[in-house]
Amino acid sequence: MYVQVDREMQQVQEAKRLEVEARSFFMYVEEELRRSDRFETPTRYVLCFRDDAGGTIMYWMTGNRLCRQVNGTGYVVMLQYVSRVEFTVFPNGCQVYIELTKGGASWKGEVFIAKRVELAA
């Protein structure tokens, strides 16, 4: 009985770690997307856009990792333990949905990120 309780506690703790990683990713991508435009999703698993400096940024899933690339060179792993990712582009922003799984623990979440709004002077 104690082994099962201990295993359940470990899964709860691991799910919380996954949530912290996911929310950190959401905060990063939200800041980046708010300063960007021209969102495109060649597939639901790939997001491309232009940043405020004119660079082309791409997020995509490979294996169980979510990667980020700038101007087609190199890449950085942004998030691990990804079992599913979906990007949906709307006229006023982008929705990001992710599922993370590690061992028996999992976490699912999504965020809608609105484009920046420029007010006329």
Side-chain angles (χ1 to χ4, degrees):
M1 172 146 175
Y2 291 115
V3 173
Q4 182 177 352
V5 170
D6 188 44
R7 192 173 309 135
E8 289 173 3
M9 290 296 291
Q10 288 175 347
Q11 286 182 349
V12 167
Q13 290 173 342
E14 193 61 51
K16 286 182 180 182
R17 279 189 219 103
L18 292 174
E19 180 179 7
V20 167
E21 289 186 33
R23 292 195 184 280
S24 296
F25 168 74
F26 281 151
M27 287 185 346
Y28 180 87
V29 76
E30 180 175 10
E31 179 65 29
E32 187 166 57
L33 289 176
R34 286 194 189 274
R35 297 183 319 236
S36 304
D37 63 4
R38 299 187 194 157
F39 303 118
E40 299 175 10
T41 52
T43 71
R44 294 182 72 95
Y45 314 106
V46 175
L47 174 65
C48 300
F49 56 93
R50 301 203 44 95
D51 67 10
D52 55 354
T56 301
I57 298 176
M58 181 171 72
Y59 282 89
W60 80 97
M61 184 175 159
T62 179
N64 68 346
R65 299 175 299 170
L66 187 62
C67 298
R68 176 183 179 271
Q69 183 178 58
V70 179
N71 294 329
T73 59
Y75 69 90
V76 174
V77 175
M78 298 297 293
L79 196 58
Q80 297 186 85
Y81 313 113
V82 180
S83 54
R84 183 175 168 200
V85 64
E86 284 188 22
F87 301 103
T88 307
V89 173
F90 296 95
N92 60 339
C94 179
Q95 181 173 317
V96 181
Y97 173 85
I98 57 174
E99 291 181 14
L100 304 179
T101 305
K102 183 178 180 187
S106 64
W107 187 87
K108 301 175 186 179
E110 65 185 332
V111 64
F112 180 82
I113 302 165
K115 289 183 180 181
R116 67 178 172 218
V117 176
E118 296 181 18
L119 304 174

